[in-house]
Amino acid sequence: PFFPRILTGQGERADAVAASGCNVVFVQDYENSRVTGPLRKQGIWITATPPFAPGVDGEPLDSDDANLLPFQADTTPVLFWTLGTRMSPDVRPRLASWTNQVRNADRKFGKRPIAADVIENERTCSRHVDMLGLSRHPIHSNCSMSDYRDSIIQRRDRARPDSFIWTWVQTEPAPTLVDLARKLESPPIVEPEQIRMQVYSALSAGCRGLGYWTTTPLDHDSPAARERFLAITQLNFELDLFEPWITSGTSPQLLPFQVDPSLAETQINAKNAAI
């Protein structure tokens, strides 16, 4: 069983990534052995954006006949390919054409899984990729955690049955909010509790993989970055404990329940009296 815990590589030290419990890093250049080598020595896998067949104008060639050169040994650190984030089926190169190019070029390595984070047409996209990303940044918005969870469930149900679902977890404020708050003495941050709620909401929605979306290094020495590092580390330790269950089960189902306020108040009073 393997539960992907993905980190967007921002130049972190390999030992810091290993200490955080992340097991996959999204790197910009899979051919850069100075980046991939230290990560693999720490037992960390790589995901990266694969190449695409260009046309004569240098733009992506959108054709069923387009092909890539076979992938070579420099791609061995790659566990799965990630086409991009916030994608739609009609981006260039088109999803169907690009995935076919990658699979044909990856025959030597067993046609590694292909992931993509999409914004629409979940059913169509789930026909072409093996790992369907359904992401939303709910923090500092009017989206509650239950709304966040339900939105993933609704989009999951629009995909093909039993599709592998994963999501990016927001760990930083939206860039637009940061720009507006530059003049504030205390700029907004994403609290550790908010990261935790997103992770467990995503798990309850049936996600079988997570990515921590960052634009700054995870091992930065600022107090906010240190707090984020500790929160992600603790979550990854917890995920490691029940990894066999969440990777081998079916999509979870939500069960409604009610809490009796009077009973809860009685228990609280009894506990306070005992103290």
Side-chain angles (χ1 to χ4, degrees):
F2 186 82
F3 187 89
R5 302 186 291 271
I6 312 165
L7 180 68
T8 54
Q10 303 295 339
E12 297 89 350
R13 303 187 319 275
D15 59 338
V17 177
S20 74
C22 294
N23 51 22
V24 181
V25 174
F26 186 13
V27 302
Q28 297 297 322
D29 183 8
Y30 62 85
E31 296 179 322
N32 188 347
S33 59
R34 290 180 296 179
V35 173
T36 62
L39 290 170
R40 285 303 298 135
K41 287 181 179 179
Q42 293 287 343
I44 301 166
W45 288 100
I46 305 300
T47 184
T49 303
F52 53 80
V56 293
D57 56 356
E59 292 296 319
L61 185 62
D62 183 21
S63 170
D64 292 337
D65 298 327
N67 285 294
L68 295 169
L69 292 174
F71 294 147
Q72 302 301 318
D74 56 359
T75 68
T76 52
V78 175
L79 180 64
F80 58 88
W81 298 104
T82 300
L83 302 187
T85 59
R86 308 290 296 167
M87 296 185 68
S88 71
D90 297 327
V91 297
R92 295 195 64 186
R94 294 185 185 274
L95 201 61
S97 175
W98 197 3
T99 53
N100 288 335
Q101 294 171 30
V102 173
R103 288 194 174 97
N104 288 334
D106 208 23
R107 293 178 184 275
K108 180 180 179 181
F109 297 95
K111 297 184 180 180
R112 285 165 285 197
I114 298 176
D117 179 62
V118 303
I119 60 174
E120 60 182 356
N121 292 349
E122 292 83 1
R123 190 166 189 85
T124 299
C125 295
S126 64
R127 292 192 182 101
H128 301 295
V129 300
D130 308 289
M131 303 166 62
L132 186 69
L134 307 175
S135 302
R136 179 179 184 178
H137 286 185
I139 308 303
H140 303 134
S141 73
N142 60 357
C143 177
S144 67
M145 282 298 107
S146 59
D147 292 338
Y148 170 69
R149 176 204 62 202
D150 292 344
S151 68
I152 297 179
I153 292 175
Q154 291 168 3
R155 298 184 64 197
R156 178 201 74 190
D157 292 344
R158 289 200 291 264
R160 298 178 68 189
D162 296 325
S163 296
F164 185 102
I165 303 299
W166 63 282
T167 190
W168 286 112
V169 172
Q170 182 183 359
T171 70
E172 301 174 354
T176 53
L177 184 60
V178 174
D179 292 338
L180 291 174
R182 289 189 185 278
K183 297 181 180 180
L184 299 177
E185 294 183 1
S186 301
I189 64 172
V190 176
E191 298 288 350
E193 294 81 5
Q194 294 173 313
I195 299 175
R196 170 174 291 275
M197 287 190 294
Q198 289 179 85
V199 167
Y200 278 93
S201 296
L203 292 178
S204 68
C207 289
R208 299 182 180 180
L210 294 171
Y212 299 101
W213 186 259
T214 62
T215 59
T216 57
L218 189 66
D219 56 356
H220 195 273
D221 58 0
S222 69
R226 180 62 179 168
E227 191 175 41
R228 178 182 64 178
F229 178 88
L230 294 175
I232 290 175
T233 301
Q234 182 177 0
L235 282 165
N236 284 337
F237 285 163
E238 295 171 11
L239 291 170
D240 190 56
L241 287 174
F242 47 82
E243 183 177 44
W245 288 276
I246 55 179
T247 53
S248 58
T250 57
S251 297
Q253 302 297 319
L254 301 182
L255 299 178
F257 68 93
Q258 292 182 341
V259 176
D260 187 343
S262 60
L263 180 60
E265 184 177 356
T266 301
Q267 292 176 339
I268 292 173
N269 292 336
K271 182 178 180 181
N272 292 337
I275 294 175

